[in-house]
Coordinates of all heavy atoms in Angstrom, one line a residue:
I7 N -3.6 3.7 2.1 CA -3.8 2.4 2.8 C -2.8 2.4 4.0 O -1.6 2.3 3.8 CB -3.5 1.3 1.8 CG1 -4.4 1.4 0.6 CG2 -3.6 -0.1 2.5 CD1 -3.9 0.7 -0.6
C9 N -1.3 0.9 7.2 CA -1.1 -0.3 8.0 C 0.0 0.0 9.1 O 0.8 -0.8 9.4 CB -0.6 -1.4 7.0 SG -0.5 -3.1 7.8
L19 N 3.9 6.3 10.1 CA 2.8 7.2 9.9 C 3.2 8.6 9.9 O 2.7 9.4 9.1 CB 1.8 7.0 11.1 CG 0.5 7.7 10.9 CD1 -0.3 7.4 9.6 CD2 -0.5 7.4 12.1
I34 N -8.0 12.9 0.0 CA -7.4 11.8 0.7 C -8.5 10.9 1.2 O -9.3 11.3 2.1 CB -6.4 12.2 1.8 CG1 -5.4 13.2 1.3 CG2 -5.7 10.9 2.3 CD1 -4.5 12.8 0.2
H66 N -20.6 -7.4 -6.4 CA -20.9 -7.9 -5.0 C -20.0 -7.1 -4.0 O -18.9 -6.7 -4.3 CB -20.6 -9.3 -4.9 CG -21.1 -10.0 -3.6 ND1 -20.4 -9.9 -2.5 CD2 -22.2 -10.6 -3.4 CE1 -21.0 -10.5 -1.5 NE2 -22.2 -11.0 -2.0
Y71 N -13.4 -3.3 -1.9 CA -12.0 -2.8 -1.7 C -11.3 -2.8 -3.1 O -10.5 -1.9 -3.4 CB -11.3 -3.8 -0.8 CG -11.7 -3.7 0.7 CD1 -12.2 -4.8 1.3 CD2 -11.5 -2.5 1.4 CE1 -12.6 -4.7 2.7 CE2 -11.9 -2.4 2.7 CZ -12.4 -3.5 3.4 OH -12.8 -3.4 4.7
A72 N -11.6 -3.8 -3.9 CA -10.9 -3.9 -5.2 C -11.4 -2.8 -6.1 O -10.5 -2.1 -6.8 CB -11.2 -5.3 -5.9
P86 N 5.2 -0.5 8.5 CA 6.5 -0.6 9.0 C 7.2 -1.9 8.5 O 6.5 -2.8 8.0 CB 6.3 -0.8 10.5 CG 4.9 -1.4 10.6 CD 4.1 -0.8 9.5
F87 N 8.5 -1.9 8.5 CA 9.3 -3.1 8.1 C 9.2 -4.1 9.2 O 9.7 -3.9 10.3 CB 10.7 -2.6 7.9 CG 11.6 -3.7 7.4 CD1 11.5 -4.3 6.2 CD2 12.7 -4.2 8.2 CE1 12.3 -5.3 5.7 CE2 13.5 -5.2 7.8 CZ 13.4 -5.7 6.5
I100 N -4.1 -7.0 0.3 CA -3.7 -7.2 -1.1 C -4.4 -8.4 -1.7 O -4.8 -8.4 -2.8 CB -2.1 -7.2 -1.2 CG1 -1.5 -5.9 -0.9 CG2 -1.7 -7.7 -2.6 CD1 0.0 -5.9 -0.6
N102 N -7.3 -9.4 -0.9 CA -8.7 -9.1 -1.1 C -8.9 -8.1 -2.3 O -10.0 -8.1 -2.9 CB -9.3 -8.5 0.2 CG -9.6 -9.6 1.1 OD1 -10.7 -10.1 1.1 ND2 -8.7 -9.9 2.1
S104 N -6.9 -8.1 -5.1 CA -6.4 -8.8 -6.3 C -7.5 -9.6 -6.9 O -7.7 -10.8 -6.6 CB -5.2 -9.7 -6.0 OG -4.1 -8.9 -5.5
T109 N -9.1 -5.3 -10.8 CA -7.7 -4.7 -10.6 C -6.7 -5.2 -11.7 O -5.7 -4.5 -11.9 CB -7.2 -4.9 -9.2 OG1 -7.2 -6.3 -8.9 CG2 -8.0 -4.1 -8.2
A114 N -4.3 -13.5 -23.3 CA -3.5 -14.4 -24.0 C -2.0 -14.1 -23.9 O -1.1 -14.9 -24.0 CB -3.9 -14.6 -25.4
K122 N -6.3 2.6 -12.5 CA -6.1 3.8 -13.2 C -5.0 4.7 -12.6 O -4.6 5.7 -13.2 CB -7.4 4.6 -13.4 CG -7.9 5.3 -12.2 CD -9.2 6.0 -12.6 CE -9.6 7.0 -11.5 NZ -10.9 7.7 -11.9
L126 N 2.0 4.7 -7.4 CA 1.9 3.9 -6.2 C 3.1 4.4 -5.4 O 4.3 4.3 -5.8 CB 2.0 2.4 -6.5 CG 2.2 1.5 -5.2 CD1 1.1 1.7 -4.3 CD2 2.4 0.1 -5.6
Y128 N 5.0 4.1 -1.5 CA 5.1 3.3 -0.3 C 6.1 4.0 0.7 O 7.2 4.4 0.3 CB 5.7 1.9 -0.7 CG 5.9 1.0 0.5 CD1 4.9 0.6 1.3 CD2 7.2 0.5 0.7 CE1 5.1 -0.2 2.4 CE2 7.4 -0.4 1.8 CZ 6.3 -0.7 2.6 OH 6.6 -1.6 3.6
D145 N 10.0 -3.9 -0.9 CA 10.2 -3.1 -2.1 C 10.1 -3.9 -3.4 O 9.4 -3.5 -4.3 CB 11.5 -2.4 -2.1 CG 11.4 -0.9 -1.6 OD1 10.3 -0.4 -1.7 OD2 12.4 -0.4 -1.2
H146 N 10.7 -5.1 -3.4 CA 10.7 -5.9 -4.6 C 9.3 -6.4 -4.9 O 8.8 -6.3 -6.0 CB 11.6 -7.1 -4.4 CG 11.6 -8.1 -5.5 ND1 12.1 -7.8 -6.8 CD2 11.0 -9.3 -5.7 CE1 11.9 -8.8 -7.6 NE2 11.2 -9.7 -6.9
S150 N 6.5 -4.9 -8.1 CA 5.8 -5.7 -9.1 C 4.4 -5.3 -9.4 O 3.8 -5.8 -10.3 CB 5.9 -7.2 -8.7 OG 5.1 -7.4 -7.6
G158 N 1.6 3.4 -13.3 CA 2.6 4.0 -14.1 C 4.0 3.9 -13.4 O 5.0 3.7 -14.1
A164 N 12.0 5.3 2.5 CA 12.2 4.6 3.8 C 13.2 5.4 4.7 O 14.1 6.1 4.2 CB 12.8 3.2 3.5
A165 N 13.0 5.3 6.0 CA 13.9 5.8 7.0 C 14.5 4.6 7.6 O 13.8 3.7 8.2 CB 13.2 6.7 8.0
D166 N 15.8 4.4 7.5 CA 16.5 3.3 8.1 C 17.2 3.6 9.4 O 17.3 4.8 9.8 CB 17.6 2.8 7.1 CG 17.1 1.9 6.1 OD1 16.2 1.0 6.4 OD2 17.6 1.9 4.9
K188 N 9.2 16.6 -0.9 CA 9.6 16.9 -2.3 C 8.7 16.1 -3.2 O 8.3 16.6 -4.3 CB 11.1 16.7 -2.5 CG 11.9 17.7 -1.9 CD 13.4 17.5 -2.1 CE 14.3 18.6 -1.5 NZ 15.7 18.3 -1.6
E191 N 5.3 17.6 -3.5 CA 5.3 18.7 -4.4 C 5.3 18.3 -5.9 O 4.6 18.9 -6.7 CB 6.5 19.6 -4.1 CG 6.4 20.3 -2.8 CD 7.7 21.0 -2.4 OE1 8.6 21.1 -3.2 OE2 7.8 21.5 -1.2
S194 N 1.8 16.8 -6.8 CA 0.6 17.7 -6.6 C 0.1 18.2 -8.0 O 0.9 18.4 -8.9 CB 1.0 18.8 -5.7 OG 1.1 18.4 -4.4

Side-chain angles (χ1 to χ4, degrees):
I7 301 160
C9 190
L19 185 56
I34 310 299
H66 190 277
Y71 290 119
F87 181 68
I100 292 166
N102 279 275
S104 298
T109 54
K122 73 179 194 178
L126 168 62
Y128 176 62
D145 259 340
H146 177 73
S150 68
D166 276 323
K188 287 181 179 175
E191 289 172 9
S194 289

